[in-house]
Amino acid sequence: MNMDPLIMLEAVGTIAVLSYVWKENAAYRFFEFTAIGLVAAHSIVQTWNNYLKPTVRDRMIGDGEWYLLIPAAIGLLYYTRVMDKKFSWLARYPISISIGYSIGYSLAYSPRPFLKEFRNNFASFGHVNDYIFLLVWLLVVFYFIFTLMKKTKKTLRVTGAITRCLIMIYMGVLFGTSILGKFSRLLGRYQFLLRDWLRLI
Amino acid sequence: MFWRKLLNIDSKIIYVVVGLALLLPVIKPVGMPVSISEEYTRRFYNYLTDIPKDAVVFFDLSFRETGEAELGSSVLPAFELLQKRGVKIVCGGQWQQAPFFMQSRLEKKAEEIGSVYGVDWVNIGYKPGGTATWRAMMEDFWKGAAGVDCNETKFDELPLMDRVRKLDKETFAAIVIWQAGTPGSGTWMQYAPDIPLLAVYMGGIGGNARYLRSGQVQAMIGGMQQAAEFEIITDCLGDATGLLDAQSLAVLVVIAFIVLGNISWIMVKRQDSLERSS
């Protein structure tokens, strides 16, 4: 058995978290909260090292880019939310700027990969898969557009039933992928416990 | 009644059985045969081997510790394959964890194959800020990445970084992403569609196959199966080849539970309707 304190701690943490499968317990809770705390602490250190320190030390003091104080001041307005109520409205400025920025970003860049995917997928037809792809796509689009008409039109009821099966197959693939991902995660932990901690394999 | 008992079986028993099905082959692998997928693994391998010598490739390690067994096992063969061919590598990640915990494994591999840190490869670590940070790196890599690697070494002390001034197609011959979720390959499809993208997905390719068809991803592999195939094709056997047995057995157990569950449900339903009619 590996008696390295870090390995021991990791092993105890792994077993405590896995014990949740049987029943929620104090050991699981302790490690859950510890993990959340660690992530929060790590993020703060990362932000300090990667952003605040280089921005203040290199760009502001080193290169004299003092205009950076303006966005910094706007960012600090977020904290007015926890101050007296008569100042809390000031938090709307950084919120509105960041939301506006995000929306602008999305409008500029989000349609591009989707349109490219759509265009390229229907660019050439030579293989039987291309026709299957087109057929399934049409069926799914019709399924959702004519959802309400399915009650009255028999043809749509039939295609609707077929499409529902196709959608279920797709969902099954996604579910299967997710389950395999979960297995991989558990296998990684087994490997750690058996190889790195207990040295059995 | 047997079927009713089976239908109401305690979920803990299912967890234990699936857990054991995963555990036993880890202790004693069966050594199931693995065939190489031409459409995915061979294509992925061929794309990597076609990257010209001295080109720079970006490794986006976007996963955490839980993905180490599956995704981590294909990072090392890809690293070895490219480094031996003289391709330079810059590692980073959209997730906090992998760029850091993979550093020691990459260092060990680099030492084995004689790669020099800073000359042949660099790990810039995780840079917070999401897409805004990547966009900043596209304008100015040094400024966007705060000018330091994962060990806080300044870029100007790392000769390879002289060649990496922008995250664009002129600098990088390809981006290879190992992703366990979001953010992942979508970032590159959205913001860097000009740079060839190769992807390794956790669990399996699933719905991502459409990106291969549309040409937004040039080659992809997914899941333990193709991680094992990649280890075999690169002759760099690691964790995935051994763990594939465990995953296959667990899948068989899950399928058996699904079949039994459905049979139980039908049998119980039939018995209930018989009881109602009598």
Side-chain angles (χ1 to χ4, degrees), chain B residues 44-61 74-91 106 109-110 113 115 119-121 172-178 198 230 234 236:
Chain B
F44 188 86
Y45 174 80
N46 288 345
Y47 200 96
L48 288 179
T49 50
D50 285 345
I51 293 173
K53 189 186 170 196
D54 213 38
V56 185
V57 169
F58 188 77
F59 273 21
D60 178 357
L61 309 173
S74 54
V75 173
L76 299 179
F79 181 83
E80 185 175 343
L81 182 71
L82 292 176
Q83 289 279 281
K84 277 184 172 172
R85 296 185 58 255
V87 176
K88 312 293 180 193
I89 296 169
V90 176
C91 302
L106 290 169
K109 179 58 78 179
I113 58 176
S115 293
V119 177
D120 299 313
W121 70 289
F172 290 99
I175 293 170
V176 189
I177 180 170
W178 282 263
L198 287 86
F230 190 64
T234 52
C236 184

Side-chain angles (χ1 to χ4, degrees), chain A residues 17-63:
Chain A
V17 171
L18 288 175
S19 70
Y20 178 78
V21 170
W22 198 256
K23 194 180 175 185
E24 186 165 335
N25 56 72
Y28 166 76
R29 279 272 173 208
F30 174 77
F31 279 98
E32 184 192 21
F33 295 152
T34 304
I36 294 167
L38 282 172
V39 170
H42 189 252
S43 301
I44 290 169
V45 173
Q46 282 290 308
T47 308
W48 173 257
N49 278 334
N50 281 310
Y51 279 103
L52 293 176
K53 212 163 72 176
T55 305
V56 174
R57 184 190 58 196
D58 301 338
R59 296 183 64 185
M60 285 167 73
I61 299 171
D63 300 337

Side-chain angles (χ1 to χ4, degrees), chain A residues 21-22 42-43 46 50-51 105 109-110 112-113 117 120-121 130 177 180 184-187 190-191 195, chain B residues 12 15 19 22 66 70 96 126-128 133 135 146 190-191 203-204 210-211 213-214 216 239 246-247 251:
Chain A
V21 170
W22 198 256
H42 189 252
S43 301
Q46 282 290 308
N50 281 310
Y51 279 103
Y105 229 81
Y109 293 102
S110 292
R112 186 165 65 181
E117 183 191 339
N120 291 2
N121 272 317
D130 301 329
T177 307
L180 287 176
S184 289
R185 289 178 171 95
L186 186 57
L187 284 170
Y190 278 167
Q191 211 172 35
R195 185 179 63 190
Chain B
K12 286 169 190 160
Y15 294 147
L22 281 166
T66 47
E70 183 182 309
Q96 279 195 29
Y126 167 74
K127 304 292 175 189
T133 302
R135 289 286 300 161
Q190 197 162 359
Y191 299 107
R210 66 185 194 275
Y211 298 126
R213 188 186 150 83
S214 66
Q216 286 162 296
D239 294 340
Q247 205 181 58
V251 167

Side-chain angles (χ1 to χ4, degrees), chain B residues 8-63:
Chain B
N8 296 320
I9 194 170
D10 191 343
S11 57
K12 286 169 190 160
I13 294 170
I14 298 174
Y15 294 147
V16 169
V17 175
V18 174
L20 282 173
L22 281 166
L23 181 64
L24 296 176
V26 175
I27 298 167
K28 195 169 171 48
V30 187
M32 286 170 69
V34 178
S35 58
I36 309 295
S37 152
E38 292 296 322
E39 193 180 356
Y40 296 107
T41 314
R42 180 80 63 190
R43 181 172 171 165
F44 188 86
Y45 174 80
N46 288 345
Y47 200 96
L48 288 179
T49 50
D50 285 345
I51 293 173
K53 189 186 170 196
D54 213 38
V56 185
V57 169
F58 188 77
F59 273 21
D60 178 357
L61 309 173
S62 293
F63 55 98

Side-chain angles (χ1 to χ4, degrees), chain A residues 69-122:
Chain A
L69 282 171
I70 298 168
I74 295 171
L76 283 173
L77 292 177
Y78 266 116
Y79 294 100
T80 57
R81 283 175 72 87
V82 292
M83 290 167 66
D84 194 291
K85 275 189 177 172
K86 66 180 175 184
F87 296 115
S88 62
W89 62 273
L90 287 165
R92 290 177 190 170
Y93 284 100
I95 291 170
S96 58
I97 289 169
S98 65
I99 290 175
Y101 180 79
S102 303
I103 291 172
Y105 229 81
S106 295
L107 287 174
Y109 293 102
S110 292
R112 186 165 65 181
F114 172 72
L115 291 173
K116 191 176 176 184
E117 183 191 339
F118 190 79
R119 184 193 65 198
N120 291 2
N121 272 317
F122 298 112

Side-chain angles (χ1 to χ4, degrees), chain B residues 78-153:
Chain B
F79 181 83
E80 185 175 343
L81 182 71
L82 292 176
Q83 289 279 281
K84 277 184 172 172
R85 296 185 58 255
V87 176
K88 312 293 180 193
I89 296 169
V90 176
C91 302
Q94 298 180 63
W95 292 31
Q96 279 195 29
Q97 296 88 350
F100 292 97
F101 69 75
M102 286 303 291
Q103 175 68 4
S104 56
R105 293 182 71 179
L106 290 169
E107 279 172 355
K108 199 175 159 193
K109 179 58 78 179
E111 202 180 317
E112 265 176 49
I113 58 176
S115 293
V116 181
Y117 187 79
V119 177
D120 299 313
W121 70 289
V122 164
N123 183 359
I124 64 163
Y126 167 74
K127 304 292 175 189
T131 48
T133 302
W134 299 111
R135 289 286 300 161
M137 286 191 213
M138 284 165 198
E139 298 297 321
D140 183 336
F141 197 95
W142 286 40
K143 200 176 256 185
V148 289
D149 74 351
C150 65
N151 297 315
E152 298 276 309
T153 307

